[in-house]
Amino acid sequence: MAHLSEAADVFEDKRRRLFGIAYRILGTVADAEDVVQDAWLRWQATDRSVVLNPEAFLVTTITRLAINVATSARARREHYVGPWLPEPVPTGDDDPYLGAERAEALSVAMLTLMERLPPAERAVYVLREAFDYPFREIAEVLHTSEANARQLAHRARKHLAGRRGAPAQREEMSRLLEAFQSASRTGNLHDLEQLLAEDVVTISDGGGKVSAARRPVTGRDHVTRFLGGALRHLGPSTTLEIIDANGEACLLIKQGTEVVGIATISTDAGAIDGIYIVRNPDKLASAGAW
């Protein structure tokens, strides 16, 4: 019994990091929690007396499990109704990075881009850029060579760099989001339009369960009209509250006391170039934490 208690203590000490790795690879809380639970069962069943480095063992286990789940999830998401977006998670001053060394690979915009990467590339990117593991250790986790681990990281960075602008400072992001909140609250479409980049894209995830655009809406004029129509549809009881999710400011959308959406933005050159609206009720389950 004492051995099991010791095993639990070791695992709990690493749980935040394990969840952070799994969440970044998978993009949903439920899948990440399932993988963490599976890792715990394997840790219990392991002869821990021969494990020289518990963290390395657990990180290897969680990463390989997450890659397997990501591979099957990729096939399932081909049948997802409308665009798929990651599930936002609450963050704050006490745990802004979900156990990571850096906030990299945590924003909704980045997680959405990472969904296009093969699972192995995604895992290498997460371990290197968010958790700062050396390539030697990453190679051991993936049971590959260090040279191949470096190549996977290079491909991931190259793929992502061509699809995003320079990341905004937190102050700039907050300023744009507050202006977006104000323009949306007043219904002033002219002010709203001035915040948007010419090639802005809005992606809505309703999962086929609530009203949401089935395709991305592209271009300043189209996005302005889409947002204006969405605000009218939600009605006067709608409130927009700035909260912290995925390490950055975003908007919690409520009708009365019911959370009906979470909106995040990405920016480039001082303008909003991406708006990501999660409306699928299954992905709003953690909204009570805000």
Side-chain angles (χ1 to χ4, degrees), residues 72-87:
S72 60
R74 200 170 193 181
R76 293 198 310 271
R77 286 169 191 168
E78 291 179 1
H79 304 287
Y80 194 82
V81 179
W84 182 93
L85 289 175
E87 177 182 351

Side-chain angles (χ1 to χ4, degrees), residues 69-78 115-119 122:
V69 173
T71 301
S72 60
R74 200 170 193 181
R76 293 198 310 271
R77 286 169 191 168
E78 291 179 1
E115 180 69 11
R116 304 177 186 180
L117 299 178
R122 202 181 320 168

